[in-house]
Amino acid sequence: MSELGFALLQAAPLGAVFAVLYLGFVRPQRRRLQAHRRLVKTLKPGDAVLTEAGMLGRVISLEDASMMRLQVGPGQHLTLQRRAVMERADDALAERLLGPAPEPSGDAAGD
């Protein structure tokens, strides 16, 4: 066996380890990150969401590209970064805890 063949044979397990790490950790994390970015980008007023801190709320307005106002209780509003949203919440649960979703105002410019 030549020295080149022997070197490739020794490097093969290292390459296999990198492939397993990529397929097992990097790729799934990248998919989760892309899904979260899609979620944050598609938020709109009236959406019920669960934040990473565990707060259930309803999006009142989208302030700019990174901030939003969230209703967390009757008359209780918070301003949060959009990336704090972990997932969309069940509308029935949000309606039971927060009351009915407000009707769209018809204002094209938003709040």
Side-chain angles (χ1 to χ4, degrees):
M1 184 178 286
S2 71
E3 288 183 31
L4 179 62
F6 185 67
L8 290 175
L9 190 59
Q10 285 183 324
L14 186 60
V17 167
F18 281 122
V20 167
L21 289 175
Y22 177 79
L23 293 174
F25 295 106
V26 175
R27 196 164 174 224
Q29 178 62 25
R30 192 173 287 170
R31 284 186 178 168
R32 281 190 294 271
L33 185 59
Q34 287 174 347
H36 185 257
R37 283 182 182 153
R38 276 192 305 272
L39 167 69
V40 168
K41 197 178 266 191
T42 61
L43 286 174
K44 61 188 182 304
D47 285 348
V49 296
L50 184 64
T51 68
E52 290 180 356
M55 291 186 287
L56 176 69
R58 181 169 284 122
V59 177
I60 297 171
S61 65
L62 303 171
E63 303 293 317
D64 58 27
S66 65
M67 303 299 284
M68 67 179 180
R69 291 202 31 92
L70 194 68
Q71 175 193 3
V72 293
Q76 299 174 344
H77 302 144
L78 299 172
T79 301
L80 298 172
Q81 290 186 336
R82 290 188 194 190
R83 67 180 183 189
V85 172
M86 186 170 65
E87 62 186 30
R88 290 195 199 284
D90 181 41
D91 284 329
L93 176 64
E95 189 167 326
R96 185 164 47 101
L97 296 175
L98 301 171
E103 293 296 320
S105 64
D107 182 12
D111 284 274

